[in-house]
Each structure stands twice: as C-alpha cells, then as structure tokens.
C-alpha cells in the first residue's frame, strides 16, 4: 500500500524585493495511515511553509511551489485545481493553525464557524450542523458545549480557543490532521491537555497526524517518525526513538543539547547553538550548518551534504559519520568518523 501522504523533492519559493527565497528546498518524506510525524526545527527552518504547501494555502502571488511532488492517497496535489483542493481541505486533510488567538473569525460565533464547515463540505442542514457542532465541542472537552456554541472567540481562553480550532479541524473526520505549533502561547498545563487531546482523538478516529513544533519535548512523547529541518532542508529523518538515542547530524545534536535535562551529576550543560541560520536568498554552495557546526571540516565549506542513509531507517545530511555519546551519559567527547575511523574530536 502506498503511504497516505508522500512528499518528494518539494521546493517552495517566495518572491521578495531582494530575490527568490527558498523556504523549502528539496524536502522529501512520507506519512502512513494512523502514523504521527513530528517536524522540528528553529523558526524559519521551513516547517510551517511545508504544511502550507501541502494544503496549497501559500500566500498569493508571492508564494509558489517551484518543484516536486505532493501525493495524497495516490492523487497529485501539485497542479490540482482550487476546486479540487477545496474538496480535499477539511474533508481529507485538516489543519490546526499556529495561533489560536487570531485564527478564529472574531465577528462570528464559534458555533457558526463550525456549522459553516459542516454545511459546506458535508451538506448538513442547519439543524444537523448545530447538533454535530455540540458533539464536537463535547468531544474536545469544552464544558457546557450547547451554551458555548453561541459565544464569540473573545469569550474563550487561549486553551479553549485551541480546542475550538481542533473541533473545527475534526468536523469532517479527516484522514490527516496537521497541527502547526498547537501549544504556542499556552501555559504548560494547557499544553499537556492539548497534546493529550490530539493523541486521544487520533487513537479514536484512526487518523494520521503531522505535528510541527520547535519543542523536542512535544514530539518525544507523540511522534512515531521525526523530521528535522534546517534552512529549508530536511537534514535528518527516521524513527523518533532512534534519532533521540543516536542523532547523526550536528544540528540535531545541537537541538538535543539545548534541551534542559535533570542530569547535571553526569556533567551535562545546557549548550546553545551559536550563530544564526543562513540567508535563504543567498545560500552558499556548502553545508548550510557549517558556520555554526562544532564538527566542521574544510570540505564542509565546499560541498552540500546529501541526505543519505546512516543507519537502518535513519537518514542524515552530513559528510561525516557523527556520534554524540555524551547524550546517553556515556561520557567522552563527540566523535566524527569517516570510513569507520575517527577523524576528529570536538569539545564535550
């Protein structure tokens, strides 16, 4: 069986006054039915643009898909008409957008925003749509759903608005849910509730999920597969457990070093990644992470590393075989190897 979603060599560009900006540069990945894919990376790495490309919701006329393929259930979405995409959005692929505070229409009641989707995509009558909207708000754990249906977004807290957004996304029971930073601007307790809610609904409805975040802690407990993006490129991908146990790309290692941990007795220090991401308009013909990399070698400044297999089911975009044993508490300095032989050691 083919994957539910298969993205191949996706390239998305934006026209700017200074030239074309390569927001996504050759991304490839797939999502199986019922699977959770986590996409991580710092701001500007191309995570959200990848999601908007899948949904075909790029801002026009400045944004465009410049190349590649997006296949959903075997159907090619690149080049599909807007009418075809309207039939796919919500019914087959739904998206929870990044900011719950601004994603809802402030002049329409919450109930109307849900019933509109049901009437448009599923042909429900107003009475049927309202009844289903009450069920959806109850499904996402909103108290007194029948009374809250006639409230406006400003009458809800941030966590409640996020639940409303999830209810809207689930209204047509999609096969794939894309959650873009679903815990942004929420306190820690509400974050945990929202993530638990998405996980529970996925199990109950059997849908696939793409969760986009810069927080590795979010994907650690949710994602089956992990995609790490940097400067518009996929620089590591594989099973989440495998990448957390043995990251093979220096950027991924840097992300994990930046996560606070309770193991100071083993000498772990919180280590930020120095420097800034490259200019996506004038990217050098070299490894985009080279200026910030502790493992950098002269060849890294002259070649773009391909995404290659480094272990079973694990790919990384690095010219060297990099390991970080200290992440597992093994001690010692991280090693970069080529042809099975250590070629350097860097600061622990």
């Amino acid at each position: 069986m083919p994957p539910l979603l298969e993205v191949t060599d996706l390239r998305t560009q934006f026209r700017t006054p200074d030239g074309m900006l390569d927001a996504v540069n050759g991304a490839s990945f797939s999502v199986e039915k019922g699977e959770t894919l986590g996409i991580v990376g710092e701001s500007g790495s191309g995570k959200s643009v990848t999601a908007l490309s899948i949904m075909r919701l790029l801002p026009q006329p400045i944004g465009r898909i410049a190349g590649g393929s997006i296949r959903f259930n075997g159907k090619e979405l690149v080049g599909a008409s807007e009418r075809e995409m309207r039939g796919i959005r919500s019914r087959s692929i739904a998206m929870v957008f990044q900011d719950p505070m601004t994603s809802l229409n402030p002049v329409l009641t919450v109930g109307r925003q849900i019933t509109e989707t049901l009437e448009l995509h599923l042909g429900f009558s107003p009475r049927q749509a309202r009844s289903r909207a009450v069920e959806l708000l109850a499904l996402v754990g909103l108290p007194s759903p029948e009374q809250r249906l006639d409230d406006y977004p400003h009458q809800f807290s941030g966590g409640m608005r996020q639940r409303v957004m999830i209810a809207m996304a689930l209204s047509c029971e999609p096969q794939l849910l894309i959650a873009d930073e679903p815990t942004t601007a929420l306190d820690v307790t509400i974050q945990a509730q929202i993530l638990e809610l998405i996980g529970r609904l996925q199990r109950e409805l059997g849908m696939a999920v793409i969760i986009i975040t810069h927080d590795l802690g979010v994907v650690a407990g949710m994602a089956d597969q992990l995609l790490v993006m940097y400067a518009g490129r996929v620089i590591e991908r594989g099973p989440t457990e495998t990448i957390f146990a043995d990251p093979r790309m220096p950027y991924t290692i840097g992300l994990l070093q930046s996560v606070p941990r309770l193991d100071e007795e083993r000498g772990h220090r919180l280590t930020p990644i120095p420097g800034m991401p490259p200019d996506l308009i004038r990217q050098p013909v070299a490894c985009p992470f080279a200026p910030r990399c502790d493992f950098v070698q002269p060849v890294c400044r002259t070649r773009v590393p391909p995404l290659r297999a480094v272990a079973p089911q694990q790919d990384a975009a690095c010219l060297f075989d990099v390991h970080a044993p200290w992440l597992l508490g093994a001690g010692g300095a991280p090693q970069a190897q080529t042809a099975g032989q250590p070629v350097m050691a860097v600061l622990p």
Side-chain angles (χ1 to χ4, degrees):
M1 292 290 292
L4 177 66
L5 175 72
E6 187 171 18
V7 177
T8 306
D9 198 26
L10 175 66
R11 295 178 58 243
T12 301
Q13 297 178 330
F14 289 95
R15 184 181 296 107
T16 75
D18 297 322
M20 296 301 292
L21 185 150
D22 294 316
V24 180
N25 195 346
S28 297
F29 60 92
S30 63
V31 182
E32 303 289 342
K33 293 180 179 179
E35 182 178 64
T36 300
L37 172 71
I39 303 180
V40 300
E42 60 194 299
S43 297
S45 61
K47 309 184 300 299
S48 296
V49 175
T50 298
L52 292 174
S53 299
I54 294 170
M55 297 292 290
R56 292 279 308 279
L57 290 174
L58 295 169
Q60 298 295 325
I62 63 170
R64 71 184 184 106
I65 296 176
S69 169
I70 303 171
R71 299 188 70 84
F72 181 77
N73 270 336
K75 177 180 175 59
E76 179 61 61
L77 301 187
V78 175
S81 68
E82 180 57 28
R83 182 176 180 179
E84 290 174 308
M85 288 306 304
R86 281 198 300 267
I88 291 172
R89 296 186 197 116
S90 297
R91 294 200 65 171
S92 299
I93 309 175
M95 186 167 175
V96 178
F97 292 92
Q98 192 168 48
D99 187 358
M101 300 301 195
T102 59
S103 296
L104 293 169
N105 190 327
V107 301
L108 293 179
T109 65
V110 160
R112 183 56 191 144
Q113 295 184 60
I114 299 175
T115 58
E116 186 177 42
T117 302
L118 294 167
E119 292 169 13
L120 177 64
H121 291 286
L122 299 182
F124 280 25
S125 68
R127 176 173 292 184
Q128 289 174 320
R130 184 176 177 87
S131 176
R132 179 57 177 157
V134 172
E135 293 175 4
L136 287 165
L137 291 184
L139 182 67
V140 298
L142 214 62
S144 306
E146 194 159 5
Q147 287 73 41
R148 300 309 304 267
L149 210 59
D150 296 317
D151 288 344
Y152 288 86
H154 73 270
Q155 296 173 276
F156 291 78
S157 68
M160 286 182 173
R161 292 189 208 187
Q162 193 64 286
R163 290 172 185 270
V164 171
M165 290 293 299
I166 294 172
M168 291 176 62
L170 297 178
S171 60
C172 298
E173 298 186 0
Q175 295 173 275
L176 174 64
L177 174 68
I178 302 175
D180 186 6
E181 299 278 9
T183 57
T184 296
L186 303 179
D187 64 57
V188 174
T189 302
I190 303 302
Q191 286 182 22
Q193 293 175 2
I194 294 298
L195 295 175
E196 191 279 330
L197 171 64
I198 292 174
R200 175 173 61 81
L201 294 175
Q202 178 187 21
R203 292 189 296 272
E204 292 177 358
L205 302 176
M207 63 185 176
V209 173
I210 295 177
I211 185 160
I212 298 170
T213 181
H214 62 272
D215 186 344
L216 287 169
V218 169
V219 295
M222 287 191 65
D224 303 303
Q225 299 287 320
L226 189 60
L227 198 75
V228 184
M229 296 191 70
Y230 181 76
R233 301 176 185 269
V234 175
I235 52 87
E236 189 155 7
R237 67 185 176 200
T240 303
E241 185 176 349
T242 300
I243 292 178
F244 269 72
D246 188 14
R248 305 292 288 275
M249 205 284 175
Y251 177 67
T252 311
I253 293 172
L255 288 180
L256 289 170
Q257 283 191 113
S258 302
V259 176
R261 294 169 58 180
L262 300 176
D263 59 355
E264 272 70 20
E265 67 276 11
R266 294 205 296 251
H268 174 79
R269 292 182 300 168
L270 189 64
T271 307
I273 301 174
M276 296 290 290
D279 184 347
L280 297 182
I281 297 176
R282 302 176 184 85
Q283 290 198 49
V285 184
C287 175
F289 190 60
R292 309 172 70 186
C293 182
D294 288 333
F295 299 82
V296 67
Q297 296 286 285
V299 68
C300 302
R301 303 185 188 280
T302 61
R303 290 175 55 191
V304 178
L307 191 65
R308 62 184 179 90
V310 295
Q313 299 183 312
Q314 185 178 5
D315 302 322
C318 185
L319 298 174
F320 296 93
D321 187 11
V322 178
H323 294 271
W326 82 93
L327 287 173
L328 299 178
Q335 298 289 318
Q337 300 177 333
T338 182
Q341 298 297 319
V343 294
M344 70 174 181
V346 300
L347 295 175

